Amino acid sequence: MKIIYVSFYMKNLLIIVIIFFLFSCDRIRKKPKWLKGNLHTHTLWSDGDAPPETVVNWYRQNNYQFLALSDHNILSEGEKWIDVVDSANTEIWPPPFTIEKLEKLKTEFGDDWPDLRQKGDTLQMRLKTLSELKDKFEVPSEFILIQAEEITDIFDKYPVHVNATNLELLIQPQGGKSTYDVLQRNVDAVLRQREQTNRPMIAHANHPNFYWGILPEDLIKLKGDPFFEVYNGHPDVKNWGDDAHPGTDRIWDIVLSNRLHKNRSVMYGLATDDAHSYYNFGIGNSNAGRGWVMVYSKHLTPMGVINALENGEFYSSSGVVLDEIKVTKDQITIKIQDEPGVSYTTKFIGTPRIFDTSYTPVLDDKGQEKHISRIYSTEIGQVFFETDENPAVYNFDNTELYVRTQIISDRKHSNPYAEGDFEMAWTQPVVNTHKLPEPQI
Ligand SMILES: [Zn+2]
Ligand SMILES: [Zn+2]
């Protein structure tokens, strides 16, 4: 047998060299990947109809890589017991937790899994905390859970809901003097906590058209970290607007055009589930699996996800899958993942750099401006180019303020937010930074 003698010094040096080599290899080898996640989810911690483990298991089994549990004004921590009732009145919301659901839970996770107690005549179950859920479900590089909260606030009769993703401490609704003020104060509270804790976190404005709560004008002014939901799977959120109210795509264009015109930052558009119902699937229920984000990141960690979102390295989807989004100074190229028998229309949407910035306010009988979007020029949010080609390519002609894409499949969504919806995807706005051409003399 050959014995190799290595001095103590040499041995340590060798270990350091090997560790450095492995670390370097890992860094070089690691490429970004598309990671699928939902940032807006409810459970029995607030008004979802299922225990958090049932919810997490649904996303885990449906090939998501990250999930943020965002219950209303509560974190999944501490001790919370819920009643287990014999039968439920299905008319009330949230529906009570029944014996039948408890039996399903036992089938899913085993008889010993639920923590039960008898309080007087009532059987109760303790809700699992986020740290228990992490222990049960998280797998490095495969699936993570992110702490979140839907800060649920109101001004007058208008709901103003803001999701805080990856926050550390609960944030109470901040209130305010107008819908804009409530929105800004809640976003500021998230950014303040981020500053104090030095932990990456983002705020996003939820479902602007839910009871027509948040106006484009509120989002135009919003300072901080501007994200909003261009798509939310809850059946009551009026994604597509109506005769008197713009849909979320139109809101996005109004907001982008006015923000960029005023030299403010872009606003990114998220798709989320806002899931509450996990037992009954179909139109009219707020189900899991309707809208999600795909972030392009090397790291499946809360920081990796947040960084990609903040850098705009993601797209939003209600079914369409993209292979690549390539942006150069001259072109945008979108490669859609082909599926046999399915075709796609890609719309390149934007506003020219020189556009009509005027608007008409909507007034009530007394001449006061109503809580309703102002009416803006049709120059905002034009379709610059539309194609059925894949890849879809757009060449900048140097007159655009920004360009974003909306991709629509000809395949109907299997469990749509609204009847007749097709699967879609939205990419993030690209601001044209070319200099305007010199005027011809
Ligand atoms: Zn909400
Ligand atoms: Zn919600």
Side-chain angles (χ1 to χ4, degrees):
M1 185 196 284
K2 194 173 169 187
I3 300 169
I4 301 169
Y5 293 97
V6 183
S7 75
F8 181 73
Y9 170 77
M10 281 302 287
K11 196 170 135 194
N12 281 348
L13 190 68
L14 202 64
I15 290 169
I16 290 167
V17 168
I18 289 169
I19 290 172
F20 181 76
F21 178 74
L22 289 174
F23 182 68
S24 303
C25 280
D26 188 53
R27 284 182 57 160
I28 293 162
R29 210 174 40 229
K30 211 160 192 176
K31 286 193 174 142
K33 279 197 288 197
W34 288 113
L35 305 168
K36 182 176 181 177
N38 179 36
L39 297 169
H40 192 161
T41 326
H42 297 279
T43 75
L44 277 167
W45 278 93
S46 63
D47 62 347
D49 72 354
E53 54 272 42
T54 300
V55 176
V56 177
N57 208 26
W58 189 94
Y59 285 93
R60 179 91 177 86
Q61 290 180 341
N62 282 274
N63 302 318
Y64 285 65
Q65 279 80 49
F66 62 93
L67 176 67
L69 296 180
S70 59
D71 275 301
H72 297 282
N73 299 337
I74 193 168
L75 300 179
S76 327
E77 62 183 22
E79 216 174 281
K80 184 173 177 182
W81 293 82
I82 55 159
D83 292 349
V84 184
V85 300
D86 289 340
S87 63
N89 177 352
T90 51
E91 296 300 306
I92 57 167
W93 192 269
F97 190 65
T98 56
I99 287 278
E100 198 187 339
K101 288 181 184 176
L102 177 61
E103 289 310 315
K104 276 189 184 160
L105 191 72
K106 285 180 178 172
T107 313
E108 214 173 339
F109 297 100
D111 285 353
D112 296 338
W113 171 259
D115 216 351
L116 301 167
R117 74 177 181 193
Q118 198 67 39
K119 201 163 187 210
D121 290 342
T122 313
L123 179 65
Q124 292 191 319
M125 183 180 81
R126 187 179 63 79
L127 295 181
K128 301 288 182 187
T129 63
L130 185 67
S131 75
E132 289 172 299
L133 298 164
K134 280 171 175 268
D135 285 348
K136 172 87 179 158
F137 293 101
E138 285 195 332
V139 178
S141 305
E142 283 182 30
F143 184 77
I144 60 162
L145 288 165
I146 302 176
Q147 175 149 276
E149 176 193 349
E150 182 169 10
I151 308 168
T152 306
D153 212 333
I154 193 159
F155 174 76
D156 193 3
K157 58 186 177 187
Y158 301 108
V160 179
H161 297 181
V162 172
N163 261 40
T165 302
N166 199 36
L167 81 175
E168 190 170 314
L169 305 161
L170 185 75
I171 294 174
Q172 296 297 341
Q174 303 287 300
K177 301 188 293 285
S178 63
T179 50
Y180 164 70
D181 195 35
V182 172
L183 178 65
Q184 187 68 65
R185 284 166 56 84
N186 283 303
V187 169
D188 287 347
V190 178
L191 299 180
R192 208 159 44 239
Q193 188 180 117
R194 176 179 180 146
E195 186 89 17
Q196 284 161 1
T197 58
N198 210 12
R199 172 170 156 140
M201 63 185 79
I202 56 163
H204 84 248
N206 294 330
H207 45 57
N209 283 347
F210 181 55
Y211 292 93
W212 315 113
I214 297 174
L215 297 178
E217 291 73 27
D218 300 329
L219 297 172
I220 292 168
K221 283 194 282 182
L222 183 64
K223 292 186 284 290
D225 218 5
F227 292 87
F228 91 119
E229 288 177 344
V230 66
Y231 177 94
N232 174 304
H234 193 290
D236 298 336
V237 297
K238 307 277 194 288
N239 286 326
W240 314 140
D242 67 10
D243 291 346
H245 302 85
T248 44
D249 266 285
R250 174 77 180 153
I251 289 177
W252 201 4
D253 290 310
I254 292 168
V255 171
L256 285 169
S257 306
N258 284 283
R259 287 183 72 90
L260 292 170
H261 178 68
K262 294 178 170 76
N263 283 323
R264 295 185 182 145
S265 64
V266 292
M267 174 163 278
Y268 292 132
L270 302 163
T272 68
D273 275 340
D274 198 358
H276 290 72
S277 305
Y278 304 91
Y279 298 99
N280 299 310
F281 279 71
I283 285 192
N285 297 296
S286 52
N287 293 144
R290 286 201 176 123
W292 59 88
V293 286
M294 297 292 286
V295 306
Y296 196 60
S297 175
K298 278 185 185 177
H299 307 288
L300 181 58
T301 58
M303 188 189 266
V305 171
I306 302 268
N307 284 348
L309 290 169
E310 288 200 306
N311 293 333
E313 289 162 351
F314 72 101
Y315 68 90
S316 296
S317 178
S318 65
V320 173
V321 180
L322 305 182
D323 282 334
E324 192 182 19
I325 303 165
K326 196 170 162 196
V327 179
T328 66
K329 66 182 179 35
D330 301 314
Q331 273 184 340
I332 303 175
T333 306
I334 307 286
K335 280 189 193 152
I336 306 158
Q337 196 172 93
D338 253 328
E339 287 196 65
V342 184
S343 56
Y344 305 90
T345 303
T346 302
K347 293 180 181 178
F348 292 87
I349 301 167
T351 298
R353 267 198 253 194
I354 297 164
F355 69 99
D356 178 2
T357 55
S358 65
Y359 56 81
T360 311
V362 181
L363 305 178
D364 64 16
D365 299 344
K366 294 176 194 136
Q368 299 288 315
E369 189 167 356
K370 280 176 147 180
H371 183 86
I372 193 166
S373 171
R374 293 164 178 171
I375 297 163
Y376 293 87
S377 157
T378 52
E379 288 176 6
I380 287 176
Q382 303 172 31
V383 178
F384 288 138
F385 178 61
E386 186 173 320
T387 180
D388 295 340
E389 299 278 308
N390 184 19
V393 181
Y394 178 79
N395 295 301
F396 289 111
D397 72 6
N398 207 16
T399 61
E400 309 89 343
L401 182 64
Y402 70 91
V403 184
R404 65 182 185 88
T405 69
Q406 187 196 57
I407 302 116
I408 307 166
S409 160
D410 68 353
R411 182 166 61 193
K412 289 229 169 118
H413 199 295
S414 58
N415 180 17
Y417 145 81
E419 189 72 55
D421 282 357
F422 292 98
E423 294 181 341
M424 292 171 72
W426 297 258
T427 64
Q428 301 310 312
V430 177
V431 179
N432 185 357
T433 51
H434 281 183
K435 281 199 164 55
L436 277 175
E438 293 296 324
Q440 302 290 312
I441 298 166

